[in-house]
Amino acid sequence: MPVLYGTHVESALMLGTAGYPSPRILADAFARSGAGIATVSLRRETGGGQDFWTLVQSLGARLLPNTAGCHSAREAVTTAHMAREVFATDWIKLEVIGHADTLQPDVFELVQAARILAAEGFKVFPYCTEDLTACERLLDAGCQVLMPWGAPIGSGLGLNNPHGLRALRAAFPDVPLVIDAGIGLPSHAAAAMEMGYDAVLLNSAVARAGDPVQMAGAMADAVRAGRAAYLADPMERTDMAVPSTPVLGKAFL
């Protein structure tokens, strides 16, 4: 179970609350997933007012509001302040988008916003790239968790840069790392956990599935399997075949 800002989270699966066909399917998907954290957007999801607030409170997961839709540090900081008031938490998933087509983070504005929010007592979860320098700057700004993307938000492409993600894991072995964005299949989630990542955050892969509840269960199983495989210390890869049956004691005719 991951430990994030000193808090033990019940599951390594984090699940978003946007885009589900109905509130009932959202609730059922969360129940099936066992997700420990639910991300909610102040801008995009609170239009339902009290009904939405009652729903997210009933999910049984810790709430992580986000600054989705923000394109500058100033905008993100203002949104974080409002989210803290609305959701009564100092946890914030910090998103500052820099590119309209890929929704890639603007790492310059992101670091600036992270520094301001961390100084104000927020527990910042930055949505970032796997760039080592940008991640180091975020840690210096006061972040204690990093959330690099696997691929562009909502693309379902999986882990576009596995080498870079492994390098990030190796560079910061003691920092909780969460793959955020791009997961489309349970195999993608399992691969992230097999690399040693602490958790996976996804939304569209479940919300946009033909059967969101069944997919939520599949993602939960994949995250558990991937973590178990990582802890089992998998065998090393080789370029040549290695016989599984030894020849010692074998009769040669």
Side-chain angles (χ1 to χ4, degrees):
M1 296 180 184
V3 179
L4 308 174
Y5 284 100
T7 298
H8 289 264
V9 179
E10 290 300 316
S11 170
L13 178 61
M14 304 179 184
L15 198 55
T17 55
Y20 289 81
S22 71
R24 171 48 55 192
I25 291 176
L26 166 60
D28 289 347
F30 263 85
R32 184 71 172 270
S33 73
I37 290 177
T39 60
V40 292
S41 171
L42 179 70
R43 289 187 160 194
R44 294 177 178 166
E45 299 178 83
T46 54
Q50 188 60 41
D51 289 341
F52 177 78
W53 177 235
T54 301
L55 175 61
V56 297
Q57 283 184 306
S58 72
L59 296 177
R62 182 171 184 131
L63 298 184
L64 177 61
N66 66 43
T67 63
C70 292
H71 294 266
S72 70
R74 180 179 179 180
E75 196 178 9
V77 168
T78 299
T79 302
H81 288 162
M82 292 189 292
R84 180 162 59 180
E85 293 297 321
V86 171
F87 297 108
T89 179
D90 57 3
W91 282 26
I92 191 73
K93 179 190 169 189
L94 181 60
E95 295 184 31
V96 185
I97 300 303
H99 193 274
D101 291 334
T102 64
L103 301 182
Q104 178 172 326
D106 182 330
V107 296
F108 304 101
E109 295 288 307
L110 183 67
V111 171
Q112 181 181 345
R115 183 174 292 109
I116 293 169
L117 292 173
E120 293 179 350
F122 281 89
K123 308 297 189 298
V124 182
F125 294 70
Y127 164 60
C128 57
T129 67
E130 69 276 21
D131 181 271
L132 294 176
T133 302
C135 287
E136 188 168 21
R137 296 291 186 273
L138 287 166
L139 295 174
D140 291 342
C143 299
Q144 297 180 24
V145 175
L146 297 173
M147 304 181 74
W149 66 348
I153 294 172
S155 67
L157 292 173
L159 307 181
N160 273 357
N161 184 10
H163 173 75
L165 292 171
R166 289 192 184 96
L168 182 63
R169 177 71 284 178
F172 303 112
D174 300 322
V175 176
L177 299 180
V178 181
I179 291 293
D180 176 17
I183 298 297
L185 294 170
S187 57
H188 300 156
M193 299 301 293
E194 288 169 5
M195 288 182 183
Y197 277 74
D198 297 276
V200 170
L201 194 161
L202 54 93
N203 188 160
S204 299
V206 170
R208 287 161 44 186
D211 186 337
V213 178
Q214 184 169 334
M215 183 60 79
M219 289 294 184
D221 291 341
V223 167
R224 285 192 292 266
R227 181 61 178 174
Y230 172 75
L231 294 175
D233 190 15
M235 62 177 286
E236 295 183 4
R237 298 179 181 181
T238 68
D239 293 329
M240 301 293 291
V242 179
S244 57
T245 302
V247 297
L248 185 65
K250 178 180 178 180
F252 288 91
L253 303 177

